[in-house]
Amino acid sequence: MSIASHEDAARSAHAAWQKAVAGVLAKSRRVEVADLPADAEHLLDSTTYDGVTVSPLYTAFDERPEGPLPGQFPYLRGRDPHRDVNAGWKVCTRHGSVRGDGADDASTLNTQILDSLSNGTSALWLTVGTGGVDPTALPEVLGGVFLELAPLTLDARGDVRAAAAAVFGVLDSADIDDRAAVDIRLGVATLTAPLGGTESIEMDEALELVRESIGRTETVRAITVDGTVFHNLGGGDAQELGAAIAAGLEYLRSMTDAGIGISDALRQIEFRFSATDDQFQTIAKFRAARTLWARIAQVCGAPDAGDAPQHAVTSEAMMSQRDPWVNMLRTTLASFGAGVGGADAVTVLPFDAALDGGAAGVSKTFAARIARNTQLLLLEEAHLGRVLDPGAGSWYIEELTAAVAAKAWEFFQTIEASGGFRAAVADGSLVAAIEKTRAERDSDIAHRVTPLTGVNEFPNLAEAPLTPEQTEPQDSATVYRYARAFEALRDRSDVHLAQHDSRPTVLLVPLGSVAEHNVRTTFASNLLASGGIEAVNPGPLTVEAVAGAVEASGAHIAVVCGTDKRYVDEAATAVEALRAAGVTQVLLAGPEKIFTGVEGDSRPDGFLTAKVDAVAVLTELLDTLGA
């Protein structure tokens, strides 16, 4: 077949698909095909929080030119063309402290690190100083660790100079043949630390560490541009990338102003980004991040030094306190996306990281092993590391990568237009833009447009209540977890359970057969449970049996459930019967239009639909129920 014939066949197939889509959409919307736009498939488009449009299907018509190979500017396909495909990305494990548990002593920590390294960990992330191990204990903590084999990243915050001195002392006294193979990240986060609610050193001190790092024979990077702080504040992926490269550029300016060469300055920076359970968005994000920083390096005159390493950390914001086992699935998707997207190292947070002290009955060792093994399964059983940039050539991934990069560059330009990163932080414009995105996401979660399994969808009301100690706000001003609004409602329910030996209760009033009411009783039960409210379902009820069900349940709030047709015939009478039985608030699972023109005691007090603000509705119900 000639090229022209092949293109004609592709266009014909695409046109047939468009016609089929239009037919389905016309049927579902109860309109004529002629009433739909010519490109009706775009009615199925979705838009990310960054304004990126995602189409329902990508075809050869969306094909982009093939990018350069891995290791070549602009590093779209990866920074290291020689990465060991048998090992894949680095499995990075955090040590030194566990939230709510405090720091372990040096001997115990050393044992944990060696055990971790012998069981699949290939990179270390060590908390030093406040909340972690004392810098003076680092020689003991790192005893037996071959730093030329396992890259080391420090999180020393305000104690980074002491931590760096201790690590350099360990290196100076060690017998290492290939010192260039030693990879140390000091984790200086002068610009991003305040937004993350942590401490760091001033820029002048940071520059001193940069100079010392440049003078080392080992590979040492002093600066970490921590993009996770923007994500944790509620930012979108493009906002995280745009803010991160703006911060990175601010570091470059400070270093070059201090007389450091641009190539040396570029090689002092690493990036840390969040990986979420939106796997394709995460893949595109890490690919786009490399091209953005490569562009910065190119404009600065050193494109060959624009291959800064990437450290992926599974999102803290996406982690839930309720049904925390679901977090294992979230972190699996996140690490998959980061690995396929080309991150150099990936840290998977323990599945119970959102709970202060961890999940009840779960040891730190178990949670850490599951986090580590999540990556090992992807690498050693799914073999994801065997191919560099496996998403290359995918019409969807390539288009999404370009779109995310374009939006991130726009956000970066707005920061630069306000005077640069520091100015945008000082005048509040950077945080204000992120807060706008956070509010939009919160609204989607509250309206259950964005589902969170185990939280606002399919909640497990029978799971053991959490203690107040477990649900203590953790960095609440700097980590806005997606589930927090619904979990606050569940916390209220737990308090009610402890005080009254029962949860807040609402009576369901199913009208008609099971086949008639099942959809709406299931919907109502799920909605109520997401706020910690137990739904009592007595089974199909006749209007005459309503009073008995009310008396048996002792409920003062009821939800009528059935079909629209059944509502027309029986709902008004059922509402009247419920009021007569002593129910103070009657809701109906369904649209308000059914009761157009109906007033008085026959009209429900409210209507539960898929479009309601669930957080607002459930908050009001808990207030009424005295929780």
Short mmCIF file of all heavy atoms in Angstrom, two decimals, residues 368-405:
data_model
loop_
_atom_site.label_atom_id
_atom_site.label_comp_id
_atom_site.label_asym_id
_atom_site.label_seq_id
_atom_site.Cartn_x
_atom_site.Cartn_y
_atom_site.Cartn_z
N ALA A 368 7.62 -0.17 55.73
CA ALA A 368 8.80 0.14 54.92
C ALA A 368 9.05 -0.95 53.88
O ALA A 368 9.44 -0.65 52.74
CB ALA A 368 10.01 0.31 55.82
N ARG A 369 8.84 -2.21 54.26
CA ARG A 369 9.08 -3.31 53.32
C ARG A 369 8.09 -3.26 52.16
O ARG A 369 8.45 -3.48 50.99
CB ARG A 369 8.96 -4.65 54.05
CG ARG A 369 9.24 -5.86 53.16
CD ARG A 369 9.43 -7.11 54.00
NE ARG A 369 8.24 -7.48 54.73
CZ ARG A 369 7.24 -8.23 54.24
NH1 ARG A 369 7.31 -8.69 52.99
NH2 ARG A 369 6.20 -8.54 54.98
N ILE A 370 6.82 -2.95 52.46
CA ILE A 370 5.83 -2.85 51.39
C ILE A 370 6.18 -1.71 50.44
O ILE A 370 6.08 -1.84 49.22
CB ILE A 370 4.42 -2.63 51.99
CG1 ILE A 370 3.96 -3.89 52.74
CG2 ILE A 370 3.43 -2.28 50.90
CD1 ILE A 370 3.82 -5.12 51.87
N ALA A 371 6.62 -0.58 51.00
CA ALA A 371 7.00 0.55 50.16
C ALA A 371 8.16 0.20 49.24
O ALA A 371 8.17 0.52 48.05
CB ALA A 371 7.36 1.74 51.04
N ARG A 372 9.15 -0.48 49.81
CA ARG A 372 10.33 -0.87 49.01
C ARG A 372 9.94 -1.91 47.96
O ARG A 372 10.33 -1.81 46.79
CB ARG A 372 11.40 -1.44 49.95
CG ARG A 372 12.70 -1.84 49.24
CD ARG A 372 13.74 -2.29 50.27
NE ARG A 372 13.34 -3.49 50.99
CZ ARG A 372 13.12 -3.54 52.30
NH1 ARG A 372 13.24 -2.46 53.05
NH2 ARG A 372 12.76 -4.68 52.89
N ASN A 373 9.15 -2.89 48.37
CA ASN A 373 8.80 -3.97 47.44
C ASN A 373 7.88 -3.51 46.32
O ASN A 373 7.81 -4.16 45.27
CB ASN A 373 8.17 -5.13 48.20
CG ASN A 373 9.18 -5.93 49.00
OD1 ASN A 373 10.38 -5.71 48.88
ND2 ASN A 373 8.72 -6.85 49.82
N THR A 374 7.16 -2.42 46.54
CA THR A 374 6.33 -1.88 45.47
C THR A 374 7.19 -1.58 44.25
O THR A 374 6.83 -1.92 43.11
CB THR A 374 5.63 -0.58 45.95
OG1 THR A 374 4.74 -0.90 47.02
CG2 THR A 374 4.85 0.07 44.82
N GLN A 375 8.32 -0.95 44.49
CA GLN A 375 9.23 -0.66 43.37
C GLN A 375 9.92 -1.91 42.84
O GLN A 375 10.12 -2.05 41.63
CB GLN A 375 10.29 0.34 43.82
CG GLN A 375 9.76 1.72 44.16
CD GLN A 375 10.87 2.72 44.23
OE1 GLN A 375 11.53 3.03 43.23
NE2 GLN A 375 11.09 3.26 45.42
N LEU A 376 10.31 -2.79 43.75
CA LEU A 376 11.02 -3.99 43.31
C LEU A 376 10.15 -4.86 42.42
O LEU A 376 10.65 -5.49 41.46
CB LEU A 376 11.51 -4.78 44.53
CG LEU A 376 12.55 -4.06 45.40
CD1 LEU A 376 12.92 -4.92 46.60
CD2 LEU A 376 13.78 -3.70 44.58
N LEU A 377 8.86 -4.90 42.68
CA LEU A 377 7.95 -5.65 41.81
C LEU A 377 7.92 -5.03 40.41
O LEU A 377 7.93 -5.74 39.40
CB LEU A 377 6.54 -5.67 42.41
CG LEU A 377 6.32 -6.62 43.57
CD1 LEU A 377 4.99 -6.33 44.26
CD2 LEU A 377 6.34 -8.07 43.09
N LEU A 378 7.88 -3.71 40.37
CA LEU A 378 7.85 -3.03 39.07
C LEU A 378 9.15 -3.24 38.30
O LEU A 378 9.15 -3.39 37.08
CB LEU A 378 7.60 -1.53 39.27
CG LEU A 378 6.24 -1.14 39.85
CD1 LEU A 378 6.19 0.36 40.11
CD2 LEU A 378 5.10 -1.56 38.93
N LEU A 379 10.25 -3.26 39.03
CA LEU A 379 11.56 -3.38 38.37
C LEU A 379 11.94 -4.82 38.05
O LEU A 379 12.37 -5.12 36.94
CB LEU A 379 12.64 -2.76 39.26
CG LEU A 379 12.67 -1.22 39.32
CD1 LEU A 379 13.56 -0.75 40.46
CD2 LEU A 379 13.14 -0.65 37.99
N GLU A 380 11.76 -5.72 39.01
CA GLU A 380 12.31 -7.06 38.86
C GLU A 380 11.31 -8.09 38.36
O GLU A 380 11.71 -9.15 37.88
CB GLU A 380 12.90 -7.50 40.20
CG GLU A 380 14.05 -6.60 40.66
CD GLU A 380 14.76 -7.11 41.90
OE1 GLU A 380 14.47 -8.25 42.32
OE2 GLU A 380 15.59 -6.38 42.45
N GLU A 381 10.02 -7.78 38.46
CA GLU A 381 9.03 -8.72 37.94
C GLU A 381 8.31 -8.17 36.73
O GLU A 381 8.01 -8.90 35.78
CB GLU A 381 8.04 -9.10 39.05
CG GLU A 381 8.70 -9.88 40.19
CD GLU A 381 7.70 -10.50 41.15
OE1 GLU A 381 6.57 -10.80 40.72
OE2 GLU A 381 8.04 -10.67 42.32
N ALA A 382 8.00 -6.85 36.75
CA ALA A 382 7.38 -6.23 35.57
C ALA A 382 8.43 -5.72 34.58
O ALA A 382 8.08 -5.38 33.45
CB ALA A 382 6.46 -5.08 35.99
N HIS A 383 9.70 -5.65 35.01
CA HIS A 383 10.84 -5.29 34.14
C HIS A 383 10.68 -3.89 33.51
O HIS A 383 11.10 -3.67 32.37
CB HIS A 383 11.01 -6.33 33.03
CG HIS A 383 11.14 -7.73 33.53
ND1 HIS A 383 12.19 -8.15 34.33
CD2 HIS A 383 10.34 -8.82 33.37
CE1 HIS A 383 12.03 -9.45 34.62
NE2 HIS A 383 10.92 -9.86 34.07
N LEU A 384 10.11 -2.96 34.25
CA LEU A 384 9.89 -1.63 33.69
C LEU A 384 11.18 -0.88 33.43
O LEU A 384 11.22 0.04 32.61
CB LEU A 384 9.00 -0.80 34.63
CG LEU A 384 7.55 -1.24 34.77
CD1 LEU A 384 6.78 -0.25 35.62
CD2 LEU A 384 6.88 -1.36 33.40
N GLY A 385 12.25 -1.24 34.13
CA GLY A 385 13.51 -0.54 33.94
C GLY A 385 14.30 -1.00 32.74
O GLY A 385 15.34 -0.42 32.42
N ARG A 386 13.82 -2.04 32.07
CA ARG A 386 14.60 -2.62 30.96
C ARG A 386 14.63 -1.73 29.72
O ARG A 386 15.46 -1.95 28.83
CB ARG A 386 14.02 -4.00 30.59
CG ARG A 386 14.17 -5.06 31.67
CD ARG A 386 15.63 -5.40 31.91
NE ARG A 386 15.82 -6.42 32.92
CZ ARG A 386 15.93 -7.72 32.65
NH1 ARG A 386 15.87 -8.14 31.40
NH2 ARG A 386 16.10 -8.57 33.63
N VAL A 387 13.72 -0.78 29.64
CA VAL A 387 13.65 0.10 28.46
C VAL A 387 13.75 1.54 28.92
O VAL A 387 13.05 1.95 29.85
CB VAL A 387 12.33 -0.10 27.68
CG1 VAL A 387 12.27 0.84 26.49
CG2 VAL A 387 12.20 -1.55 27.23
N LEU A 388 14.60 2.32 28.29
CA LEU A 388 14.67 3.74 28.58
C LEU A 388 13.52 4.45 27.88
O LEU A 388 13.30 4.25 26.67
CB LEU A 388 16.00 4.33 28.09
CG LEU A 388 17.27 3.80 28.76
CD1 LEU A 388 18.50 4.49 28.16
CD2 LEU A 388 17.23 4.02 30.25
N ASP A 389 12.76 5.23 28.63
CA ASP A 389 11.64 6.00 28.10
C ASP A 389 10.67 5.13 27.29
O ASP A 389 10.48 5.33 26.09
CB ASP A 389 12.15 7.14 27.22
CG ASP A 389 11.04 8.15 26.89
OD1 ASP A 389 10.06 8.23 27.66
OD2 ASP A 389 11.15 8.83 25.87
N PRO A 390 10.03 4.15 27.94
CA PRO A 390 9.10 3.27 27.22
C PRO A 390 7.87 3.99 26.68
O PRO A 390 7.18 3.46 25.81
CB PRO A 390 8.72 2.23 28.27
CG PRO A 390 8.97 2.89 29.59
CD PRO A 390 10.15 3.77 29.36
N GLY A 391 7.59 5.19 27.17
CA GLY A 391 6.43 5.93 26.67
C GLY A 391 6.70 6.67 25.39
O GLY A 391 5.77 7.24 24.79
N ALA A 392 7.95 6.69 24.93
CA ALA A 392 8.30 7.44 23.72
C ALA A 392 7.51 6.93 22.52
O ALA A 392 7.38 5.72 22.32
CB ALA A 392 9.80 7.32 23.45
N GLY A 393 7.00 7.86 21.74
CA GLY A 393 6.25 7.49 20.55
C GLY A 393 4.78 7.33 20.78
O GLY A 393 4.00 7.30 19.81
N SER A 394 4.35 7.22 22.04
CA SER A 394 2.92 7.18 22.33
C SER A 394 2.31 8.53 21.98
O SER A 394 2.75 9.57 22.48
CB SER A 394 2.69 6.89 23.82
OG SER A 394 1.38 7.23 24.21
N TRP A 395 1.30 8.52 21.12
CA TRP A 395 0.71 9.79 20.70
C TRP A 395 0.20 10.58 21.91
O TRP A 395 0.37 11.78 22.00
CB TRP A 395 -0.43 9.53 19.71
CG TRP A 395 0.03 8.85 18.46
CD1 TRP A 395 1.16 9.13 17.73
CD2 TRP A 395 -0.62 7.77 17.79
NE1 TRP A 395 1.25 8.31 16.65
CE2 TRP A 395 0.17 7.45 16.65
CE3 TRP A 395 -1.79 7.05 18.00
CZ2 TRP A 395 -0.18 6.46 15.76
CZ3 TRP A 395 -2.15 6.06 17.11
CH2 TRP A 395 -1.35 5.76 16.00
N TYR A 396 -0.44 9.87 22.83
CA TYR A 396 -1.00 10.53 24.01
C TYR A 396 0.10 11.09 24.90
O TYR A 396 0.07 12.27 25.29
CB TYR A 396 -1.87 9.52 24.78
CG TYR A 396 -2.40 10.01 26.10
CD1 TYR A 396 -2.75 11.34 26.29
CD2 TYR A 396 -2.57 9.14 27.17
CE1 TYR A 396 -3.27 11.78 27.51
CE2 TYR A 396 -3.08 9.57 28.40
CZ TYR A 396 -3.42 10.90 28.55
OH TYR A 396 -3.92 11.33 29.75
N ILE A 397 1.09 10.28 25.23
CA ILE A 397 2.14 10.72 26.15
C ILE A 397 2.96 11.86 25.55
O ILE A 397 3.28 12.84 26.24
CB ILE A 397 3.04 9.53 26.55
CG1 ILE A 397 2.26 8.56 27.44
CG2 ILE A 397 4.30 10.02 27.26
CD1 ILE A 397 3.02 7.30 27.80
N GLU A 398 3.28 11.76 24.29
CA GLU A 398 4.08 12.82 23.66
C GLU A 398 3.29 14.14 23.63
O GLU A 398 3.84 15.21 23.92
CB GLU A 398 4.48 12.43 22.24
CG GLU A 398 5.40 11.21 22.16
CD GLU A 398 6.82 11.51 22.64
OE1 GLU A 398 7.07 12.59 23.19
OE2 GLU A 398 7.70 10.65 22.45
N GLU A 399 2.03 14.07 23.30
CA GLU A 399 1.21 15.28 23.25
C GLU A 399 1.01 15.85 24.65
O GLU A 399 1.09 17.07 24.86
CB GLU A 399 -0.15 14.96 22.61
CG GLU A 399 -1.07 16.15 22.44
CD GLU A 399 -0.56 17.18 21.45
OE1 GLU A 399 0.20 16.79 20.53
OE2 GLU A 399 -0.90 18.37 21.59
N LEU A 400 0.77 14.97 25.63
CA LEU A 400 0.57 15.42 27.00
C LEU A 400 1.85 16.05 27.56
O LEU A 400 1.81 17.07 28.26
CB LEU A 400 0.12 14.25 27.87
CG LEU A 400 -0.26 14.56 29.32
CD1 LEU A 400 -1.41 15.56 29.37
CD2 LEU A 400 -0.64 13.28 30.06
N THR A 401 2.99 15.45 27.23
CA THR A 401 4.28 15.99 27.68
C THR A 401 4.46 17.41 27.17
O THR A 401 4.83 18.32 27.92
CB THR A 401 5.44 15.12 27.20
OG1 THR A 401 5.32 13.80 27.77
CG2 THR A 401 6.78 15.71 27.60
N ALA A 402 4.21 17.61 25.89
CA ALA A 402 4.37 18.94 25.29
C ALA A 402 3.40 19.94 25.90
O ALA A 402 3.77 21.10 26.15
CB ALA A 402 4.17 18.85 23.78
N ALA A 403 2.18 19.50 26.17
CA ALA A 403 1.17 20.41 26.72
C ALA A 403 1.52 20.81 28.16
O ALA A 403 1.37 21.98 28.54
CB ALA A 403 -0.21 19.75 26.67
N VAL A 404 1.95 19.84 28.95
CA VAL A 404 2.34 20.14 30.33
C VAL A 404 3.54 21.07 30.34
O VAL A 404 3.60 22.04 31.13
CB VAL A 404 2.66 18.84 31.11
CG1 VAL A 404 3.30 19.15 32.46
CG2 VAL A 404 1.39 18.02 31.33
N ALA A 405 4.51 20.82 29.47
CA ALA A 405 5.69 21.68 29.40
C ALA A 405 5.31 23.10 29.02
O ALA A 405 5.83 24.07 29.59
CB ALA A 405 6.69 21.11 28.39
#
